Amino acid sequence: MTRTSPRTPDTPRTQVLVTGGSGFIASWCVLALLEAGHDVRTTVRDAGREPALRDSLHAATDFDDARLTVVRADLRADDGWADAVAGCDYVLHVASPTLRTVPDSAEEMVAAARDGVLRVLRAARDAKVRRVVLTSAFGAVGYGHPPRTAPFTEEDWTNLDAAVPPYQRSKTLAERAAWQFVAEEGGGMELAAVHPVAVIGPVLGPDDPPSLRAVRGMLDGAAPMCPPFATSWVDVRDVADLHVRAMTDPAAAGGRWLASAGRSLRLVEVARMLREQCGERAAKVPTRELPLPVARLLSRFEPKLRALRPQLGQDFDATGAKAERLLGWRPRPIGRTLADTADSLLAHGVVRGG
């Protein structure tokens, strides 16, 4: 299901830690690593999630259970991290406070993200890990800027002097802290950062990832019209593939890597593509765009639009050309990803459609 290169008999087997293994992106990273022949250790905050994680991975691919170890560790505490990274060659640090687990304040979200990153980096350095791949986000690249026509690249950083939402602020400050730590205290450990744009794609189980809210809401007919903004999109399977490439390719060390499958699309374009791809199953999907002045007015009162206020009227276009050129990364077309996303959400009963 993923497209990483399988391990050959001459390829040494490596041990990789993936943090937050039950998450949407992290679970696909675990799958990609297993299919590429690596041994995987992954952390979860709740040990009770291990059976469901194993079941979802086994439903997607065949692997020896002994090649996957699930351990409990929480980014909010030091306990467990030394054992989690012990003997690992690489770390994919995917876990982070999400829009599902927002702390009570913006300051708490920033502290949780930054402190969690530094906690993992210290443990990785002490365990002599070769390279850490940090899952950052487009939120650390493209917020707080005036309108522009050129797509965002890895050279861009979110402008924290502007009014930037807490999640994007936390990702920016956490990534900056990571680069500073590796430069000043990393002891030669390498770092690469992956920056996914809006992540969609199939789920591995009956989960409800926050990043699929837009597609899920369209299929559910949650709103009669689409909010007026545009963003770039990427398939979660290709995000996982880019993590593995950033882990193993010598060219990836010390670099930031945008995971973006092409030009930005307005939500109404995505909605129309869903209608085209899914037919009657997407009968509830809206195909008109809410006028920007109306959206801004309604965002004062309507909670869902209020959360989107920083995006309204914006075009968050980003290019993954650097990863394609230097790492050989080849993302799927978004039309195909939308069809796979809808099929998966419908199959797992996350939405009913029709």
Side-chain angles (χ1 to χ4, degrees), residues 22-23 44-56 70 100 206-208:
S22 59
V44 293
R45 285 188 301 161
D46 178 3
R49 301 204 69 174
E50 178 177 351
L53 175 60
R54 286 189 180 274
D55 288 347
S56 64
V70 181
R100 177 187 286 163
D207 200 3
D208 190 17

PDB file of all heavy atoms in Angstrom, residues 22-23 44-56 70 100 206-208:
ATOM      1  N   SER A  22      -0.094   5.391  17.280  1.00  0.00           N
ATOM      2  CA  SER A  22      -1.511   5.203  16.975  1.00  0.00           C
ATOM      3  C   SER A  22      -2.105   6.373  16.205  1.00  0.00           C
ATOM      4  O   SER A  22      -3.267   6.331  15.804  1.00  0.00           O
ATOM      5  CB  SER A  22      -2.303   4.984  18.272  1.00  0.00           C
ATOM      6  OG  SER A  22      -2.145   6.098  19.140  1.00  0.00           O
ATOM      7  N   GLY A  23      -1.309   7.427  15.957  1.00  0.00           N
ATOM      8  CA  GLY A  23      -1.806   8.585  15.213  1.00  0.00           C
ATOM      9  C   GLY A  23      -1.917   8.319  13.725  1.00  0.00           C
ATOM     10  O   GLY A  23      -1.382   7.332  13.198  1.00  0.00           O
ATOM     11  N   VAL A  44       3.065   4.798  22.547  1.00  0.00           N
ATOM     12  CA  VAL A  44       1.671   5.218  22.697  1.00  0.00           C
ATOM     13  C   VAL A  44       1.516   5.776  24.106  1.00  0.00           C
ATOM     14  O   VAL A  44       2.229   5.387  25.026  1.00  0.00           O
ATOM     15  CB  VAL A  44       0.676   4.054  22.476  1.00  0.00           C
ATOM     16  CG1 VAL A  44       0.695   3.589  21.028  1.00  0.00           C
ATOM     17  CG2 VAL A  44       0.978   2.891  23.414  1.00  0.00           C
ATOM     18  N   ARG A  45       0.608   6.708  24.274  1.00  0.00           N
ATOM     19  CA  ARG A  45       0.338   7.222  25.626  1.00  0.00           C
ATOM     20  C   ARG A  45      -0.519   6.253  26.417  1.00  0.00           C
ATOM     21  O   ARG A  45      -0.420   6.168  27.635  1.00  0.00           O
ATOM     22  CB  ARG A  45      -0.358   8.576  25.533  1.00  0.00           C
ATOM     23  CG  ARG A  45       0.551   9.718  25.138  1.00  0.00           C
ATOM     24  CD  ARG A  45      -0.165  11.042  25.245  1.00  0.00           C
ATOM     25  NE  ARG A  45      -1.346  11.089  24.394  1.00  0.00           N
ATOM     26  CZ  ARG A  45      -2.354  11.948  24.529  1.00  0.00           C
ATOM     27  NH1 ARG A  45      -2.321  12.828  25.512  1.00  0.00           N
ATOM     28  NH2 ARG A  45      -3.372  11.936  23.711  1.00  0.00           N
ATOM     29  N   ASP A  46      -1.378   5.509  25.708  1.00  0.00           N
ATOM     30  CA  ASP A  46      -2.302   4.585  26.346  1.00  0.00           C
ATOM     31  C   ASP A  46      -1.986   3.175  25.848  1.00  0.00           C
ATOM     32  O   ASP A  46      -2.191   2.859  24.670  1.00  0.00           O
ATOM     33  CB  ASP A  46      -3.740   4.972  25.997  1.00  0.00           C
ATOM     34  CG  ASP A  46      -4.780   4.027  26.577  1.00  0.00           C
ATOM     35  OD1 ASP A  46      -4.399   3.091  27.307  1.00  0.00           O
ATOM     36  OD2 ASP A  46      -5.978   4.221  26.300  1.00  0.00           O
ATOM     37  N   ALA A  47      -1.468   2.324  26.735  1.00  0.00           N
ATOM     38  CA  ALA A  47      -1.096   0.961  26.341  1.00  0.00           C
ATOM     39  C   ALA A  47      -2.291   0.176  25.822  1.00  0.00           C
ATOM     40  O   ALA A  47      -2.122  -0.793  25.064  1.00  0.00           O
ATOM     41  CB  ALA A  47      -0.471   0.236  27.534  1.00  0.00           C
ATOM     42  N   GLY A  48      -3.492   0.590  26.180  1.00  0.00           N
ATOM     43  CA  GLY A  48      -4.676  -0.102  25.707  1.00  0.00           C
ATOM     44  C   GLY A  48      -4.914   0.025  24.209  1.00  0.00           C
ATOM     45  O   GLY A  48      -5.753  -0.703  23.646  1.00  0.00           O
ATOM     46  N   ARG A  49      -4.167   0.920  23.542  1.00  0.00           N
ATOM     47  CA  ARG A  49      -4.345   1.095  22.096  1.00  0.00           C
ATOM     48  C   ARG A  49      -3.523   0.099  21.283  1.00  0.00           C
ATOM     49  O   ARG A  49      -3.667   0.037  20.056  1.00  0.00           O
ATOM     50  CB  ARG A  49      -3.980   2.524  21.692  1.00  0.00           C
ATOM     51  CG  ARG A  49      -4.808   3.597  22.397  1.00  0.00           C
ATOM     52  CD  ARG A  49      -4.857   4.881  21.622  1.00  0.00           C
ATOM     53  NE  ARG A  49      -5.633   4.746  20.406  1.00  0.00           N
ATOM     54  CZ  ARG A  49      -5.931   5.749  19.581  1.00  0.00           C
ATOM     55  NH1 ARG A  49      -5.504   6.962  19.863  1.00  0.00           N
ATOM     56  NH2 ARG A  49      -6.631   5.550  18.488  1.00  0.00           N
ATOM     57  N   GLU A  50      -2.639  -0.659  21.948  1.00  0.00           N
ATOM     58  CA  GLU A  50      -1.782  -1.571  21.188  1.00  0.00           C
ATOM     59  C   GLU A  50      -2.553  -2.610  20.383  1.00  0.00           C
ATOM     60  O   GLU A  50      -2.257  -2.807  19.193  1.00  0.00           O
ATOM     61  CB  GLU A  50      -0.783  -2.275  22.120  1.00  0.00           C
ATOM     62  CG  GLU A  50       0.100  -3.269  21.373  1.00  0.00           C
ATOM     63  CD  GLU A  50       1.145  -3.940  22.254  1.00  0.00           C
ATOM     64  OE1 GLU A  50       1.304  -3.520  23.424  1.00  0.00           O
ATOM     65  OE2 GLU A  50       1.809  -4.868  21.764  1.00  0.00           O
ATOM     66  N   PRO A  51      -3.540  -3.321  20.934  1.00  0.00           N
ATOM     67  CA  PRO A  51      -4.231  -4.340  20.126  1.00  0.00           C
ATOM     68  C   PRO A  51      -4.863  -3.777  18.853  1.00  0.00           C
ATOM     69  O   PRO A  51      -4.751  -4.370  17.778  1.00  0.00           O
ATOM     70  CB  PRO A  51      -5.291  -4.901  21.089  1.00  0.00           C
ATOM     71  CG  PRO A  51      -4.732  -4.637  22.451  1.00  0.00           C
ATOM     72  CD  PRO A  51      -4.018  -3.323  22.335  1.00  0.00           C
ATOM     73  N   ALA A  52      -5.513  -2.616  18.953  1.00  0.00           N
ATOM     74  CA  ALA A  52      -6.152  -2.022  17.775  1.00  0.00           C
ATOM     75  C   ALA A  52      -5.101  -1.610  16.743  1.00  0.00           C
ATOM     76  O   ALA A  52      -5.315  -1.769  15.534  1.00  0.00           O
ATOM     77  CB  ALA A  52      -7.003  -0.825  18.174  1.00  0.00           C
ATOM     78  N   LEU A  53      -3.972  -1.085  17.219  1.00  0.00           N
ATOM     79  CA  LEU A  53      -2.905  -0.701  16.300  1.00  0.00           C
ATOM     80  C   LEU A  53      -2.366  -1.915  15.561  1.00  0.00           C
ATOM     81  O   LEU A  53      -2.213  -1.895  14.334  1.00  0.00           O
ATOM     82  CB  LEU A  53      -1.780  -0.002  17.069  1.00  0.00           C
ATOM     83  CG  LEU A  53      -0.518   0.350  16.266  1.00  0.00           C
ATOM     84  CD1 LEU A  53      -0.849   1.291  15.114  1.00  0.00           C
ATOM     85  CD2 LEU A  53       0.533   0.977  17.191  1.00  0.00           C
ATOM     86  N   ARG A  54      -2.081  -2.985  16.287  1.00  0.00           N
ATOM     87  CA  ARG A  54      -1.578  -4.197  15.634  1.00  0.00           C
ATOM     88  C   ARG A  54      -2.597  -4.751  14.637  1.00  0.00           C
ATOM     89  O   ARG A  54      -2.248  -5.162  13.520  1.00  0.00           O
ATOM     90  CB  ARG A  54      -1.242  -5.262  16.672  1.00  0.00           C
ATOM     91  CG  ARG A  54       0.037  -4.985  17.455  1.00  0.00           C
ATOM     92  CD  ARG A  54       0.435  -6.173  18.323  1.00  0.00           C
ATOM     93  NE  ARG A  54       1.647  -5.884  19.058  1.00  0.00           N
ATOM     94  CZ  ARG A  54       2.877  -6.067  18.581  1.00  0.00           C
ATOM     95  NH1 ARG A  54       3.053  -6.552  17.354  1.00  0.00           N
ATOM     96  NH2 ARG A  54       3.927  -5.784  19.323  1.00  0.00           N
ATOM     97  N   ASP A  55      -3.860  -4.766  15.028  1.00  0.00           N
ATOM     98  CA  ASP A  55      -4.893  -5.292  14.132  1.00  0.00           C
ATOM     99  C   ASP A  55      -4.969  -4.480  12.844  1.00  0.00           C
ATOM    100  O   ASP A  55      -5.088  -5.047  11.743  1.00  0.00           O
ATOM    101  CB  ASP A  55      -6.250  -5.286  14.830  1.00  0.00           C
ATOM    102  CG  ASP A  55      -6.360  -6.347  15.918  1.00  0.00           C
ATOM    103  OD1 ASP A  55      -5.488  -7.237  15.970  1.00  0.00           O
ATOM    104  OD2 ASP A  55      -7.323  -6.267  16.722  1.00  0.00           O
ATOM    105  N   SER A  56      -4.917  -3.152  12.957  1.00  0.00           N
ATOM    106  CA  SER A  56      -5.025  -2.313  11.758  1.00  0.00           C
ATOM    107  C   SER A  56      -3.817  -2.487  10.848  1.00  0.00           C
ATOM    108  O   SER A  56      -3.950  -2.505   9.615  1.00  0.00           O
ATOM    109  CB  SER A  56      -5.183  -0.841  12.160  1.00  0.00           C
ATOM    110  OG  SER A  56      -4.033  -0.364  12.839  1.00  0.00           O
ATOM    111  N   VAL A  70       5.593  -2.211  20.939  1.00  0.00           N
ATOM    112  CA  VAL A  70       4.814  -1.049  21.356  1.00  0.00           C
ATOM    113  C   VAL A  70       5.116  -0.784  22.824  1.00  0.00           C
ATOM    114  O   VAL A  70       4.980  -1.682  23.670  1.00  0.00           O
ATOM    115  CB  VAL A  70       3.306  -1.274  21.146  1.00  0.00           C
ATOM    116  CG1 VAL A  70       2.510  -0.027  21.568  1.00  0.00           C
ATOM    117  CG2 VAL A  70       3.016  -1.629  19.687  1.00  0.00           C
ATOM    118  N   ARG A 100      -6.927  17.776  18.186  1.00  0.00           N
ATOM    119  CA  ARG A 100      -7.853  16.955  18.953  1.00  0.00           C
ATOM    120  C   ARG A 100      -7.567  17.061  20.448  1.00  0.00           C
ATOM    121  O   ARG A 100      -8.448  16.907  21.283  1.00  0.00           O
ATOM    122  CB  ARG A 100      -7.736  15.492  18.510  1.00  0.00           C
ATOM    123  CG  ARG A 100      -8.605  14.525  19.296  1.00  0.00           C
ATOM    124  CD  ARG A 100      -8.303  13.091  18.917  1.00  0.00           C
ATOM    125  NE  ARG A 100      -8.852  12.771  17.626  1.00  0.00           N
ATOM    126  CZ  ARG A 100      -8.469  11.712  16.901  1.00  0.00           C
ATOM    127  NH1 ARG A 100      -7.507  10.934  17.332  1.00  0.00           N
ATOM    128  NH2 ARG A 100      -9.024  11.464  15.735  1.00  0.00           N
ATOM    129  N   PRO A 206     -11.098   2.443  12.201  1.00  0.00           N
ATOM    130  CA  PRO A 206     -12.263   3.335  12.388  1.00  0.00           C
ATOM    131  C   PRO A 206     -11.918   4.545  13.253  1.00  0.00           C
ATOM    132  O   PRO A 206     -12.601   4.839  14.237  1.00  0.00           O
ATOM    133  CB  PRO A 206     -13.283   2.420  13.065  1.00  0.00           C
ATOM    134  CG  PRO A 206     -12.460   1.424  13.804  1.00  0.00           C
ATOM    135  CD  PRO A 206     -11.234   1.182  12.964  1.00  0.00           C
ATOM    136  N   ASP A 207     -10.848   5.229  12.906  1.00  0.00           N
ATOM    137  CA  ASP A 207     -10.420   6.403  13.640  1.00  0.00           C
ATOM    138  C   ASP A 207     -11.010   7.646  12.971  1.00  0.00           C
ATOM    139  O   ASP A 207     -11.579   7.571  11.885  1.00  0.00           O
ATOM    140  CB  ASP A 207      -8.894   6.477  13.671  1.00  0.00           C
ATOM    141  CG  ASP A 207      -8.374   7.357  14.790  1.00  0.00           C
ATOM    142  OD1 ASP A 207      -9.200   7.855  15.575  1.00  0.00           O
ATOM    143  OD2 ASP A 207      -7.154   7.557  14.876  1.00  0.00           O
ATOM    144  N   ASP A 208     -10.817   8.785  13.600  1.00  0.00           N
ATOM    145  CA  ASP A 208     -11.421  10.018  13.117  1.00  0.00           C
ATOM    146  C   ASP A 208     -10.391  11.143  13.194  1.00  0.00           C
ATOM    147  O   ASP A 208     -10.512  12.048  14.007  1.00  0.00           O
ATOM    148  CB  ASP A 208     -12.639  10.325  13.995  1.00  0.00           C
ATOM    149  CG  ASP A 208     -13.485  11.446  13.439  1.00  0.00           C
ATOM    150  OD1 ASP A 208     -13.332  11.763  12.251  1.00  0.00           O
ATOM    151  OD2 ASP A 208     -14.296  12.006  14.199  1.00  0.00           O
TER     152      ASP A 208
END
